[in-house]
Amino acid sequence: MTWFGLSRKRWRSLVTTIGLFSICLFLVVSCGGSPSKETSETASPTADNGRVSVGTTLTVRTLDPADAYELISGLLLYNMGDRLYTYEPGTTNLVPQLATELPTISDDGLTYIIPTREGVTFHDGTPFNAEAMAFSIKRLMENDGRPAFLLADRIASVEATGENELTITLTAPFAAFTSLLAFSGLTPVPPESYEIGDAAFKPDSFVGTGPYKLAEFATDRVRLDANEDYWGEAPANDGIDIQIFTTPANLYNAFTTGALDIAYQTLDPEQISSLQKDSDAKGWQVIEGDGSVINYLTLNQKTEPLNDVNVRKAIAALIDRPLLNERVFQGQADPLYSLIPSTIKQSKPVFKDAYGDANTEEAKKYLEEAGFSESNPLVLDLWYISTSTTNNVAATVMKASMGQQLPGMIQVNLNSVESSTAFENLGNGLYPTFILNWYPDFYDPDTYIEPFMDCDKGSEATLCEEGQSQAGGSFYYSDRAIELVDAQRQAIDPAKRDEAISEIQDVLAEDVPYIPLWVAKDYAFAQSGVDNFTIQPTQQVLLWQISK
């Protein structure tokens, strides 16, 4: 899930090699076929023993909640641990979990008083209480792991003000704080088994309060056993066996030969299409979920001619999202018209309303206003990560589409760079444009706003010199945008917050520091005897609900 660690503030992206999709180039790379003997991996055939086998290509770096910041780690922690708050299954309704009620918030929005549940024990038998929760929050803040900034920049103090009462004081009002408390890494751990200290992590073990205990952790597999002493809903299975494959082809073959109950994260579009096509005949279940990972184009306003808003608007008008969905994803994505995806209620399709798709006449008008013509064409350098086949294909399609729309008036040059080099140089302004991806930290519109529109130091004359938009390569600075970001964060009235979020999206469409592109859908496949595997609206998976 991580982008790169430029500071305690973050940029998370899927431009790494563990992206949600690894698109195959037609006629160049073969997908979905049988792996060679040298690359073949095996999984034990599924057995009706009450355990469920799940295959994935995502690797688990750590199970320590103070350092875990990847998709697969978050999924495992979500099922082995609990949080103060969670989401009612099948909805986006925030409900208490280890808390017994929603927090009592002071009038100034700074103090949260949270009653905690009694009678809960950790996997090792030690009791959970408010002190353990306070310890775990402090540990996440102070151990300086990858997600530390989520709390360290926002919490002034946290303490147990009673055996079953937690009090958290913020540095500034933050309207999304209760939603943040549902972040997968905010699962408590017992103070007796963990410590607070810089980089004092336990990557290959986990003790929590959730419905599963960690039974085995290896590079190619993770086994979870049902927690017989769980305080909440008992798992509908005896355990989960997660097999980690090195390639989508091996995952695909393991599932199609019946060696897995479930295939999830990640299959190539060709393989997804094949499984969908054969699902009726084979009895396979197709589980589709709305994606939460946004893909967008960042535009560096410190470079010419992208410092001209008319050029940025012209590029926005030239983007053909339906074509990208057809050519790159075979219909397995949704067009994105705001940085806030449509799965979040505050989303507005501002780029569709302002520019549409492949709006050639509008793009020509903007370019002419910027002084470009067939005798003076716009030269646009489009960058992407060299290991991301998805973005390679997307960039190729975008180049061809723009050239066909305005032949002679625009020249697109494609460039790629290795991910670590890109991450080091993006904030230095070396790239005029870049195709990037973004994971949300938690389920709230703020996580799609503040990282893009905020800046700690700068001006509209100098642009962003230090802060989120500088780190992300756009260098965007707007006094109004910063004012609106602060307003939506500090709003106590939800209606006032929604108004600020709405206007932020309008400002985004007018200033065009970023161009939203697509959201890839989330797919999983299950054998016919598997029940209740679902992808939640919050993009989590509740392993304890699965039965077979």
Side-chain angles (χ1 to χ4, degrees), residues 107 175 487-501:
D107 291 341
Q488 66 87 18
R489 289 190 141 202
Q490 299 179 25
I492 296 175
D493 182 353
K496 293 292 185 183
R497 185 179 188 225
D498 287 351
E499 289 178 9
I501 293 171

Side-chain angles (χ1 to χ4, degrees), residues 312-545:
R312 303 197 299 272
K313 289 181 176 181
I315 298 169
L318 287 170
I319 299 297
D320 191 341
R321 295 168 185 81
L323 182 67
L324 286 171
N325 191 18
E326 175 189 349
R327 297 283 178 84
V328 181
F329 295 101
Q330 302 183 43
Q332 298 165 16
D334 290 316
L336 183 67
Y337 295 101
S338 169
L339 291 178
I340 303 175
S342 60
T343 51
I344 292 181
K345 67 176 183 178
Q346 292 93 340
S347 176
K348 289 172 40 177
V350 287
F351 275 74
K352 185 174 184 178
D353 296 340
Y355 307 104
D357 286 285
N359 192 340
T360 306
E361 291 304 313
E362 195 77 2
K364 183 178 180 181
K365 181 189 74 173
Y366 286 128
L367 286 181
E368 288 175 344
E369 289 180 7
F372 293 99
S373 62
E374 291 187 8
S375 60
N376 180 35
L378 169 67
V379 178
L380 181 67
D381 289 329
L382 185 58
W383 286 81
Y384 60 90
I385 295 297
S386 57
T387 53
S388 173
T389 315
T390 304
N391 292 351
N392 183 344
V393 180
T396 301
V397 171
M398 290 166 62
K399 174 181 179 178
S401 174
M402 291 179 182
Q404 290 172 1
Q405 290 182 67
L406 292 176
M409 201 170 181
I410 184 169
Q411 175 186 325
V412 180
N413 301 320
L414 301 186
N415 304 273
S416 64
V417 63
E418 190 268 338
S419 59
S420 61
T421 302
F423 299 159
E424 291 172 2
N425 293 325
L426 197 62
N428 296 327
L430 296 188
Y431 310 113
T433 70
F434 218 112
I435 300 175
L436 297 169
N437 319 68
W438 177 257
Y439 274 126
D441 291 316
F442 51 97
Y443 190 81
D444 188 88
D446 180 80
T447 196
Y448 295 102
I449 293 174
E450 186 264 353
F452 297 92
M453 308 293 281
D454 202 24
C455 178
D456 296 331
K457 177 184 177 182
S459 69
E460 295 191 0
T462 65
L463 300 180
C464 187
E465 300 173 274
E466 183 178 322
Q468 299 286 62
S469 64
Q470 169 267 326
S474 76
F475 300 90
Y476 176 63
Y477 187 96
S478 163
D479 287 325
R480 182 56 180 160
I482 293 172
E483 179 184 333
L484 289 167
V485 168
D486 290 341
Q488 66 87 18
R489 289 190 141 202
Q490 299 179 25
I492 296 175
D493 182 353
K496 293 292 185 183
R497 185 179 188 225
D498 287 351
E499 289 178 9
I501 293 171
S502 177
E503 188 176 345
I504 286 172
Q505 293 172 89
D506 293 335
V507 171
L508 170 70
E510 179 60 29
D511 293 347
V512 201
Y514 314 93
I515 300 175
L517 297 175
W518 72 82
V519 176
K521 295 178 183 178
D522 206 359
Y523 286 93
F525 296 88
Q527 304 289 350
S528 59
V530 176
D531 293 322
N532 298 323
F533 183 93
T534 60
I535 300 171
Q536 297 295 304
T538 56
Q539 278 69 61
Q540 272 296 349
V541 172
L542 312 182
L543 298 176
W544 66 85
Q545 291 188 342

Side-chain angles (χ1 to χ4, degrees), residues 144-455:
D144 204 27
R146 294 189 180 183
F149 73 93
L150 286 171
L151 301 183
D153 294 346
R154 294 172 177 139
I155 294 180
S157 67
V158 54
E159 58 182 330
T161 47
E163 179 71 14
N164 300 109
E165 182 182 89
L166 185 73
T167 299
I168 302 175
T169 302
L170 305 185
T171 57
F174 183 41
F177 187 67
T178 306
S179 297
L180 174 57
L181 291 175
F183 171 64
S184 60
L186 277 170
T187 175
V189 293
E192 295 83 358
S193 302
Y194 290 79
E195 63 177 305
I196 295 177
D198 188 21
F201 301 123
K202 301 180 69 172
D204 55 1
S205 63
F206 177 77
V207 180
T209 62
Y212 291 101
K213 297 180 180 181
L214 180 65
E216 182 183 7
F217 178 68
T219 56
D220 62 345
R221 64 190 177 277
V222 179
R223 295 181 69 250
L224 312 179
D225 287 345
N227 179 9
E228 296 179 354
D229 299 319
Y230 185 52
W231 63 271
E233 177 187 348
N237 54 69
D238 292 338
I240 303 292
D241 298 326
I242 298 174
Q243 174 96 22
I244 299 170
F245 294 87
T246 57
T247 68
N250 290 349
L251 171 61
Y252 173 87
N253 288 340
F255 178 79
T256 55
T257 57
L260 291 171
D261 292 316
I262 296 166
Y264 181 57
Q265 298 286 4
T266 59
L267 292 164
D268 291 325
E270 283 286 296
Q271 296 160 346
I272 291 172
S273 295
S274 175
L275 292 173
Q276 288 175 320
K277 179 181 177 181
D278 295 339
S279 60
D280 288 341
K282 301 288 188 178
W284 295 327
Q285 301 175 61
V286 181
I287 298 100
E288 179 180 322
D290 293 320
S292 62
V293 181
I294 65 169
N295 300 261
Y296 63 96
L297 184 66
T298 189
L299 304 176
N300 181 350
Q301 296 182 54
K302 280 187 175 288
T303 63
E304 294 184 353
L306 295 172
N307 58 340
D308 188 333
V309 70
N310 285 314
V311 173
R312 303 197 299 272
K313 289 181 176 181
I315 298 169
L318 287 170
I319 299 297
D320 191 341
R321 295 168 185 81
L323 182 67
L324 286 171
N325 191 18
E326 175 189 349
R327 297 283 178 84
V328 181
F329 295 101
Q330 302 183 43
Q332 298 165 16
D334 290 316
L336 183 67
Y337 295 101
S338 169
L339 291 178
I340 303 175
S342 60
T343 51
I344 292 181
K345 67 176 183 178
Q346 292 93 340
S347 176
K348 289 172 40 177
V350 287
F351 275 74
K352 185 174 184 178
D353 296 340
Y355 307 104
D357 286 285
N359 192 340
T360 306
E361 291 304 313
E362 195 77 2
K364 183 178 180 181
K365 181 189 74 173
Y366 286 128
L367 286 181
E368 288 175 344
E369 289 180 7
F372 293 99
S373 62
E374 291 187 8
S375 60
N376 180 35
L378 169 67
V379 178
L380 181 67
D381 289 329
L382 185 58
W383 286 81
Y384 60 90
I385 295 297
S386 57
T387 53
S388 173
T389 315
T390 304
N391 292 351
N392 183 344
V393 180
T396 301
V397 171
M398 290 166 62
K399 174 181 179 178
S401 174
M402 291 179 182
Q404 290 172 1
Q405 290 182 67
L406 292 176
M409 201 170 181
I410 184 169
Q411 175 186 325
V412 180
N413 301 320
L414 301 186
N415 304 273
S416 64
V417 63
E418 190 268 338
S419 59
S420 61
T421 302
F423 299 159
E424 291 172 2
N425 293 325
L426 197 62
N428 296 327
L430 296 188
Y431 310 113
T433 70
F434 218 112
I435 300 175
L436 297 169
N437 319 68
W438 177 257
Y439 274 126
D441 291 316
F442 51 97
Y443 190 81
D444 188 88
D446 180 80
T447 196
Y448 295 102
I449 293 174
E450 186 264 353
F452 297 92
M453 308 293 281
D454 202 24
C455 178

Side-chain angles (χ1 to χ4, degrees), residues 40-51:
S40 179
E41 294 170 283
T42 61
S44 300
T46 59
D48 189 15
N49 59 0
R51 298 185 68 87

